[in-house]
């Protein structure tokens, strides 16, 4: 790559050939104005461990509310899914909610957890295989936002179901969420379904507190992105010169997480130099909070029909059961 200035003039790529998708995406994101880094890069080993800690924080209502729904409503979920499903889990991480579902499903034909973090994936897949010795567990280390191959299943599946808990769908823009659900619709095929965790719009104080915990774990999770760039991409970011900021953007119904430069500075990633003004931000995450009727519109655009919505008692979170519209021309093109 030739030496050049980016259109916004804040990054100089000096004979810098990206070594990996992470490297390419970071350089591309930091050459934009405003700067951004895709949130999927939070989840290296340390980031995944920090996320597990976030899930246990008193302020982070999402995990507890989703657990409560799973415990209370799993029998209804199992009835909706029916017997002999093949279960595919998107972004399985520590797979902590999955055993509740697996234990309730009748004659499950297989379980395919998919995650970007290899270590995390294999540890949790092994634990599940030990806990359910009869179950065929076939983990796939992949970025589920990119095309990936599913193993051929010789079993007699009645239905393929993608389980996508945790409200990770909220980390995509509504347009991206529709595209991702279209991909899922294609993967599950005719008669297939999606069981998905979706965070719900709620008073701003509750949601902002969840992303600004007192113990600073979310801040450490956010700053770990810069530490990861230092570790993996030969970066020299001074973590003390950036701060975590998270706020609710009501117009878009989303939490926005940013890293703010505390001063004017130039940081390096290998030979590339990235200039920051004081107060300049890097957007690191969106987390959309949906009114159920608005999420239903997205599901319909992707070729799904919402059959059932379960919520916790405080109506903080939802788990939704979506069935693929039979013969939907939007998702059947290459089947
Ligand atoms: C994984 N995802 C649903 C989390 C969320 O709440 O959007 C990631 C997270 N970011 C900060 N805290 C948790």
């Amino acid at each position: 790559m030739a030496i050049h200035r980016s259109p916004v003039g804040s990054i100089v790529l000096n004979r810098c050939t990206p070594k990996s998708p992470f490297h390419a995406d970071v350089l591309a994101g930091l050459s934009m104005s405003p700067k951004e880094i895709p949130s999927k890069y939070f989840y290296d080993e340390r980031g995944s461990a920090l996320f597990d800690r976030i899930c246990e924080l008193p302020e982070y209502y999402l995990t507890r509310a989703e657990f409560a729904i799973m415990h209370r409503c799993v029998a209804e979920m199992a009835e909706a899914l029916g017997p002999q499903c093949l279960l595919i889990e998107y972004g399985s991480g520590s797979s902590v909610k999955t055993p509740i579902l697996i234990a309730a499903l009748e004659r499950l034909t297989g379980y395919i957890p998919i995650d970007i973090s290899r270590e995390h994936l294999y540890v949790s897949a092994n634990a599940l295989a030990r806990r359910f010795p009869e179950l065929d567990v076939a983990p796939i280390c992949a970025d589920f936002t990119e095309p990936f191959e599913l193993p051929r299943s010789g079993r007699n599946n009645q239905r393929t179901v993608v389980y996508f808990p945790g409200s990770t769908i909220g980390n995509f823009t509504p347009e991206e969420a529709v595209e991702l659900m279209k991909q899922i619709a294609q993967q599950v095929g005719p008669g297939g379904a999606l069981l998905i965790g979706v965070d719900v719009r709620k008073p701003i104080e509750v949601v902002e507190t969840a992303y600004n915990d007192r113990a600073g774990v979310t801040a450490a999770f956010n700053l770990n992105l810069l530490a990861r760039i230092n570790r993996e991409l030969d970066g020299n970011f001074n973590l003390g010169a950036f701060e975590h900021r998270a706020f609710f953007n009501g117009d878009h119904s989303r939490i926005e997480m940013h890293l703010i430069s505390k001063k004017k500075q130039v940081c390096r990633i290998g030979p590339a130099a990235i200039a920051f003004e004081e107060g300049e931000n890097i957007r690191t995450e969106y987390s959309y909070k949906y009114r159920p009727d608005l999420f239903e519109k997205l599901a319909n655009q992707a070729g799904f029909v919402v059959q059932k919505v379960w919520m916790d008692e405080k109506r903080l979170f939802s788990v939704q059961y979506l069935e693929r519209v039979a013969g939907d021309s939007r998702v059947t093109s290459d089947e």
Side-chain angles (χ1 to χ4, degrees):
M1 192 181 290
I3 299 173
H4 73 273
R5 272 200 170 272
S6 75
V8 294
S10 63
I11 178 167
V12 180
L13 302 179
N14 189 352
R15 294 202 179 285
C16 182
T17 307
K19 299 186 208 78
S20 62
F22 177 41
H23 194 191
D25 287 349
V26 165
L27 291 179
L30 294 181
S31 68
M32 290 167 77
S33 181
K35 294 177 170 61
E36 61 180 52
I37 300 177
S39 60
K40 65 182 175 185
Y41 294 115
F42 279 134
Y43 302 94
D44 65 346
E45 225 181 304
R46 171 142 178 80
S48 298
L50 283 165
F51 180 64
D52 284 350
R53 282 180 58 199
I54 288 175
C55 292
E56 290 176 359
L57 292 169
E59 296 94 336
Y60 196 72
Y61 60 84
L62 291 84
T63 315
R64 266 186 312 283
E66 192 173 20
F67 260 113
I69 298 168
M70 294 307 291
H71 281 298
R72 193 160 51 90
C73 308
V74 74
E76 282 177 44
M77 292 175 195
E79 199 183 318
L81 268 61
Q84 285 176 258
C85 291
L86 172 68
L87 192 67
I88 302 170
E89 183 171 354
Y90 268 39
S92 53
S94 300
S95 294
V96 282
K97 293 152 207 138
T98 327
I100 308 170
L101 184 63
I102 290 179
L105 287 172
E106 200 184 322
R107 286 175 283 132
L108 193 58
T109 61
Y111 170 61
I112 305 177
I114 301 165
D115 204 273
I116 199 168
S117 171
R118 187 173 296 272
E119 213 15 62
H120 231 59
L121 175 70
Y122 289 113
V123 169
S124 52
N126 274 321
L128 263 168
R130 274 197 300 276
R131 182 153 170 200
F132 299 97
E134 304 291 297
L135 184 63
D136 185 3
V137 180
I140 300 182
C141 184
D143 173 357
F144 59 73
T145 62
E146 304 286 339
F148 63 92
E149 288 278 315
L150 282 178
R152 289 233 163 263
S153 162
R155 302 283 186 92
N156 189 16
N157 304 323
Q158 294 289 331
R159 156 177 286 173
T160 301
V161 179
V162 165
Y163 180 44
F164 194 17
S167 196
T168 302
I169 194 72
N171 297 134
F172 297 86
T173 64
E175 297 73 29
E176 291 166 343
V178 170
E179 287 312 306
L180 185 58
M181 287 193 284
K182 278 187 183 167
Q183 173 187 308
I184 294 173
Q186 209 154 51
Q187 229 159 31
V188 297
L194 169 61
L195 185 67
I196 187 166
V198 184
D199 198 9
V200 174
R201 185 158 180 161
K202 57 184 64 65
I204 185 167
E205 321 75 66
V206 179
V207 73
E208 283 194 341
T209 306
Y211 293 81
N212 290 286
D213 61 285
R214 287 178 54 153
V217 184
T218 310
F221 174 71
N222 201 2
L223 284 160
N224 178 57
L225 259 181
L226 301 182
R228 181 175 182 190
I229 293 172
N230 288 349
R231 282 193 294 271
E232 294 182 26
L233 305 180
D234 186 28
N236 77 344
F237 284 85
N238 170 5
L239 271 56
F242 288 86
E243 70 185 10
H244 161 77
R245 187 166 302 162
F247 60 87
F248 189 68
N249 178 334
D251 291 343
H252 292 277
S253 195
R254 69 189 180 205
I255 279 283
E256 296 191 9
M257 289 218 312
H258 298 265
L259 288 165
I260 312 291
S261 178
K262 290 186 193 168
K263 59 180 186 185
K264 190 174 165 75
Q265 55 182 318
V266 176
C267 304
R268 297 201 158 268
I269 299 177
I274 299 113
F276 290 89
E277 296 300 326
E278 183 179 343
E280 191 176 349
N281 68 304
I282 309 172
R283 196 256 297 154
T284 53
E285 187 176 65
Y286 289 144
S287 193
Y288 283 80
K289 313 298 169 190
Y290 285 108
R291 266 180 25 203
D293 58 321
L294 295 182
F295 186 76
E296 184 172 15
K297 285 207 172 107
L298 302 188
N300 294 160
Q301 283 173 43
F304 281 106
V305 177
V306 178
Q307 296 288 11
K308 191 91 188 138
V309 178
W310 295 277
M311 295 183 89
D312 57 298
E313 278 169 3
K314 291 187 187 157
R315 305 185 74 75
L316 293 173
F317 197 89
S318 69
V319 177
Q320 310 200 12
Y321 175 63
L322 282 53
E323 275 178 3
R324 189 179 134 164
V325 179
D328 190 312
S329 58
R330 281 166 295 194
V331 291
T332 50
S333 52
D334 59 359
E335 283 163 9

